[in-house]
């Protein structure tokens, strides 16, 4: 029960009910689709990156469970103003914290720490990581769909 | 409720013994797989402990005993679905392999460029993809029987779907995603008017209602042991004898041959022709024990009791305005597929699991059905005869937690 409260913290429920940056960016220069075949979660991510490699704007659209929507909402908030190098470094730490039981990070994840509740729910980790895989795909401009599989 | 003592039936299933676990389990994912009674577990155990040997091979007494049990299982299946002869029954890995066998062997030899295959919109992926693979190889076309918004087959245009190019009709007996019971007997009759053979995906029907393949007059009928209280990795393809005789082998190997030389290999008689390699002996024995277990209770009693459970669940559901049923067919099995006020099925599944209630969430391997209803996923509770009204009460109590968490 306490695990459940840990997973569905107020912040998660709020972001699910009214996700931030839930829009297609008309002037985006990076774009990727994400798909979680297990859940059917679908995500389109839009990023605007300037000449200094700074993400100036981020938006997303799609359907998914509360965890994946909240994760995308929180992530797009977080991305704005960060450099690509910062984001990549952060992603590695954060991904490890989400997926590895033994990962001990000294990094302050700030608001994103609410997503760490999924660790107790192995079946749901992919819901939390979908947005992040999609973001990686957009930054690398692979041009193909990011998948959690 | 019916007179049978349904409450004590839980005692036959070790996994449902709540005194053995930290928190009580309410298992409502029976359409995915059923739990196994001790009668099945013991039979499998007994085979491995007392007479494990390969079948149809040795002269030693262990092999004779294993062969008798394996072939005895075939007779149990024959009796269960009223096939004419054990020659019409092939042991396979499950429903999926049975359909693949028909698509590959029957379809591969009969279906050519420009031919047509009819399937329905509510099929499980296992009754879609093998036909797509075949159609791709052969240059054939797939035609789809549509469904209406109750999740029933829309058969208004059904007779007109047949042409002289139609080579097979593949349709499910009961939909795993919607619970709809399809009017397969009438559909088979219609198909036969056009000389089109019919394969029925019976995975969801076998454990819940009496299936008589002679009365249905289906040409092929496929099902899995594990959805009928038996082990995983074993299932059955029923096929009319004349069809099997004419079909080329599916896989080559031992058991399926009479004589092998590099000039000429002679295939074994049916059903052995379609059972290359050492079969799942323990699986067949366990599956037969599951069918015997069902027989001891009686399928009529099971169908009546499970229908009462469904009625009760529907009554409870009516009190939850947040709950929207997906699949409201007039003829419906004990499957409750639903949406809950915009909460994603996976969130429902996780919250229910925390309350000890196991349901299935997702697309149920029926993505075209999800597309029809414009949803990515549904939550699905499916009932078996070991479930009770109390289990359904637990489901709705757990759904109250969903309301709480999402502040609905």
């Amino acid at each position: 029960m306490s695990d459940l409260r840990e997973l569905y913290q107020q912040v998660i429920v709020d972001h699910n009910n009214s996700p931030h940056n839930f829009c297609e960016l008309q002037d985006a220069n990076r774009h990727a689709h994400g798909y979680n075949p297990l859940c059917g979660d679908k995500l389109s991510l839009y990023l605007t990156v300037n000449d200094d490699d700074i993400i100036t704007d981020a938006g997303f659209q799609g359907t998914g469970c509360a965890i994946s929507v909240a994760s995308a909402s929180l992530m797009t908030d977080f991305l704005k103003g960060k450099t690509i190098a910062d984001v990549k470094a952060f992603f590695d730490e954060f991904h490890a914290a989400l997926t590895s039981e033994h990962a001990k990070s000294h990094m302050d994840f700030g608001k994103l720490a609410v997503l760490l509740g999924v660790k107790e729910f192995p079946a749901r980790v992919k819901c939390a990581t979908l947005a992040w895989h999609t973001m990686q795909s957009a930054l690398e401009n692979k041009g193909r769909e990011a998948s959690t599989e | 409720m019916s007179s049978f003592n349904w409450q004590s039936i839980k005692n036959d299933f070790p996994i449902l013994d709540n005194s053995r676990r930290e928190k009580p389990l309410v298992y409502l994912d029976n359409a995915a797989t059923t739990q196994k009674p001790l009668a099945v577990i013991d039979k499998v155990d007994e085979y491995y402990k007392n007479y494990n040997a390969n079948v149809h091979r040795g002269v030693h007494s262990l092999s004779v005993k294993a062969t008798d049990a394996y072939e005895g299982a075939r007779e149990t299946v024959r009796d269960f679905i009223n096939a004419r002869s054990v020659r019409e029954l092939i042991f396979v890995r499950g429903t999926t392999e049975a359909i693949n066998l028909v698509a590959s062997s029957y379809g591969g030899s009969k279906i050519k460029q420009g031919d047509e295959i009819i399937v329905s919109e509510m099929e499980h992926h296992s009754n879609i993809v093998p036909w797509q693979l075949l159609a791709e190889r052969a240059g054939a076309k797939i035609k789809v029987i549509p469904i209406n918004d109750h999740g029933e087959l829309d058969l208004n245009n059904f007779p007109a779907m047949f042409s002289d190019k139609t080579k097979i009709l593949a349709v499910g007996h009961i939909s795993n995603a919607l619970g709809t019971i399809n009017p397969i007997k009438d559909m088979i009759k219609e198909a036969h008017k056009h000389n089109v053979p019919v394969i029925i995906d019976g995975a969801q029907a076998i454990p819940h209602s009496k299936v008589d393949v002679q009365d249905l007059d289906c040409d092929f009928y496929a099902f899995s042991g594990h959805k009928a209280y038996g082990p995983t990795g074993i299932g059955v393809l029923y096929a009319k004898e004349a069809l099997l005789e004419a079909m080329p082998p599916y896989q080559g190997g031992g058991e399926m041959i009479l004589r092998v030389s590099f000039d000429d290999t002679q295939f074994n008689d049916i059903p052995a022709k379609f059972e290359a390699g050492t079969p799942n002996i323990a699986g067949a024995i366990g599956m037969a024990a599951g069918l015997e277990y069902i027989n001891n209770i009686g399928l009529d009693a099971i169908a009546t009791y499970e229908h009462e459970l469904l009625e009760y669940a529907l009554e409870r559901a009516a009190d939850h305005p947040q709950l929207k049923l997906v699949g409201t067919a007039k003829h419906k099995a004990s499957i409750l597929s639903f949406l809950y006020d915009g909460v994603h099925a996976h969130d429902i599944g996780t919250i229910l699991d925390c309350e000890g209630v196991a349901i299935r969430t997702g697309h149920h391997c029926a993505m075209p059905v999800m597309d029809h209803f414009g949803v990515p996923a549904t939550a699905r509770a499916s009932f078996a005869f070991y479930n009770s009204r109390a289990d359904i009460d637990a489901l709705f109590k757990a759904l109250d937690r969903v309301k709480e968490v999402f502040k609905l």
Side-chain angles (χ1 to χ4, degrees):
Chain A
M1 190 70 72
S2 59
D3 288 349
L4 196 60
R5 280 207 199 96
E6 191 67 19
L7 181 65
Y8 291 105
Q9 293 185 42
Q10 192 56 45
V11 181
I12 302 254
V13 174
D14 289 347
H15 275 264
N16 176 58
N17 290 344
S18 359
H20 300 182
N21 315 306
F22 194 72
C23 57
E24 182 180 340
L25 296 184
Q26 294 304 329
D27 54 351
N29 50 15
R30 307 289 173 95
H31 176 219
H33 294 291
Y35 180 49
N36 179 348
L38 186 72
C39 313
D41 290 354
K42 280 179 194 157
L43 186 72
S44 291
L45 182 71
Y46 308 89
L47 302 174
T48 312
V49 180
N50 71 12
D51 294 342
D52 301 323
D53 274 356
I54 293 171
I55 300 168
T56 55
D57 205 0
F60 78 101
Q61 287 203 300
T63 56
C65 65
I67 308 300
S68 78
V69 170
S71 180
S73 174
L74 286 158
M75 181 190 80
T76 42
D77 273 351
F78 165 82
L79 292 177
K80 288 186 221 172
K82 300 279 190 307
T83 65
I84 290 177
D86 285 347
V87 166
K88 282 187 174 163
F90 181 88
F91 173 81
D92 291 341
E93 286 266 339
F94 189 58
H95 190 258
L98 280 173
T99 53
S100 159
E101 225 169 279
H102 310 293
K104 281 211 166 51
S105 177
H106 302 293
M107 199 178 255
D108 177 10
F109 295 128
K111 280 186 186 170
L112 294 167
V114 294
L115 292 168
L116 297 175
V118 293
K119 274 175 85 155
E120 303 301 321
F121 298 85
R124 303 300 302 279
V125 168
K126 286 174 178 173
C127 307
T129 56
L130 177 64
W132 297 82
H133 285 294
T134 311
M135 178 270 290
Q136 249 201 337
S137 181
L139 289 183
E140 288 164 13
N141 246 350
K142 283 178 187 162
R144 61 185 168 89
E145 192 169 73
S147 172
T148 52
E149 297 306 298
Chain B
M1 293 256 159
S2 349
S3 56
F4 196 90
N5 186 358
W6 299 102
Q7 283 305 320
S8 69
I9 247 175
K10 263 193 180 157
N11 302 335
D12 292 348
F13 294 79
I15 206 169
L16 300 176
D17 177 2
N18 278 328
S19 65
R20 288 154 38 115
R21 53 181 74 247
E22 262 177 51
K23 63 178 181 189
L25 167 69
V26 175
Y27 186 78
L28 300 178
D29 195 14
N30 295 289
T33 196
T34 52
Q35 298 302 345
K36 319 306 174 199
L38 206 54
V40 168
I41 299 168
D42 281 350
K43 275 277 184 192
V44 173
D45 197 50
E46 186 200 357
Y47 162 73
Y48 280 124
K49 279 182 177 158
N50 297 331
Y51 61 101
N52 171 57
N54 212 327
V55 290
H56 303 135
R57 280 159 176 79
V59 292
H60 57 79
S61 52
L62 271 193
S63 174
V64 172
K65 192 165 180 207
T67 304
D68 284 351
Y70 180 69
E71 291 304 327
R74 207 186 304 269
E75 170 55 27
T76 302
V77 173
R78 188 208 62 72
D79 181 63
F80 196 83
I81 61 170
N82 193 31
R84 285 167 209 83
S85 151
V86 287
R87 290 164 53 81
E88 299 178 315
L89 300 164
I90 318 289
F91 284 132
V92 289
R93 276 190 297 147
T95 310
T96 299
E97 188 176 41
I99 298 169
N100 274 280
L101 190 160
V102 176
S104 170
S105 169
Y106 181 83
S109 59
K110 296 275 185 194
I111 297 176
K112 310 285 181 213
Q113 176 88 31
D115 284 344
E116 293 170 356
I117 299 161
I118 303 180
V119 302
S120 95
E121 193 181 356
M122 71 168 75
E123 296 313 303
H124 187 283
H125 296 161
S126 64
N127 204 19
I128 299 175
V129 183
W131 303 113
Q132 285 177 327
L133 291 171
L134 170 66
E136 177 88 3
R137 274 197 306 272
K141 198 180 141 194
I142 295 199
K143 289 175 115 176
V144 183
I145 308 166
I147 57 176
N148 64 26
D149 289 343
H150 291 289
E152 295 163 318
L153 292 178
D154 175 357
L155 294 172
N156 289 325
N157 196 36
F158 180 58
M161 290 180 77
F162 292 91
S163 75
D164 55 0
K165 295 208 178 298
T166 311
K167 289 292 148 60
I168 197 159
L169 164 66
V171 65
H173 196 162
I174 295 179
S175 158
N176 73 309
L178 301 162
T180 312
I181 303 172
N182 289 322
I184 54 166
K185 196 173 169 181
D186 294 340
M187 295 174 75
I188 292 164
K189 206 177 269 179
E190 181 64 36
H192 286 173
K193 276 191 214 160
H194 307 272
N195 294 318
V196 171
V198 182
I199 176 166
I200 303 294
D201 168 356
Q204 295 297 336
I206 282 289
H208 302 296
S209 56
K210 180 73 195 144
V211 170
D212 180 330
V213 290
Q214 291 191 61
D215 179 57
L216 287 172
D217 198 26
C218 54
D219 301 278
F220 303 97
Y221 196 98
F223 66 93
S224 301
H226 75 96
K227 293 193 200 284
Y229 310 97
T232 52
I234 185 77
V236 173
L237 171 68
Y238 158 83
K240 285 180 180 167
E241 195 167 332
L243 287 166
L244 284 180
E245 291 282 14
M247 282 158 59
Y250 172 50
Q251 294 175 332
E255 183 73 31
M256 54 77 71
I257 42 80
L258 285 179
R259 200 174 58 84
V260 174
S261 78
F262 285 106
D263 300 324
D264 172 42
T265 288
Q266 226 184 325
F267 302 130
N268 207 337
D269 289 336
I270 58 168
K273 184 169 98 178
F274 292 98
E275 291 183 8
T278 297
N280 183 353
I281 304 163
I285 293 168
M287 173 169 63
L291 298 180
E292 276 162 5
Y293 181 84
I294 292 174
N295 274 336
N296 286 339
I297 302 170
L299 267 169
D300 289 341
I302 289 173
T304 307
Y305 177 75
E306 288 178 349
H307 193 72
E308 284 167 10
L309 285 180
L310 176 70
E311 292 282 312
Y312 181 63
L314 290 172
E315 228 172 81
R316 292 287 325 255
D319 293 337
H320 282 244
Q322 301 88 348
L323 189 149
K324 183 169 172 276
L325 290 171
V326 176
T328 48
K330 207 183 290 168
H331 300 288
K332 199 169 141 77
S334 52
I335 288 175
L336 206 68
S337 212
F338 61 91
L339 309 170
Y340 202 83
D341 205 9
V343 179
H344 192 281
H346 278 85
D347 296 316
I348 298 172
T350 295
I351 296 170
L352 263 52
D353 184 53
C354 285
E355 302 293 309
V357 179
I359 61 159
R360 170 81 192 263
T361 57
H363 51 62
H364 316 296
C365 295
M367 286 185 180
V369 172
M370 300 297 115
D371 288 345
H372 178 93
F373 289 96
V375 295
T378 72
R380 181 190 72 186
S382 49
F383 312 118
F385 55 68
Y386 44 62
N387 291 129
S388 61
R389 281 178 180 236
D391 292 343
I392 292 168
D393 290 339
L395 166 69
F396 284 95
K397 194 164 164 252
L399 282 170
D400 286 338
R401 279 286 289 157
V402 175
K403 260 198 292 191
E404 241 175 86
V405 169
F406 281 88
K407 313 244 171 344
L408 302 175

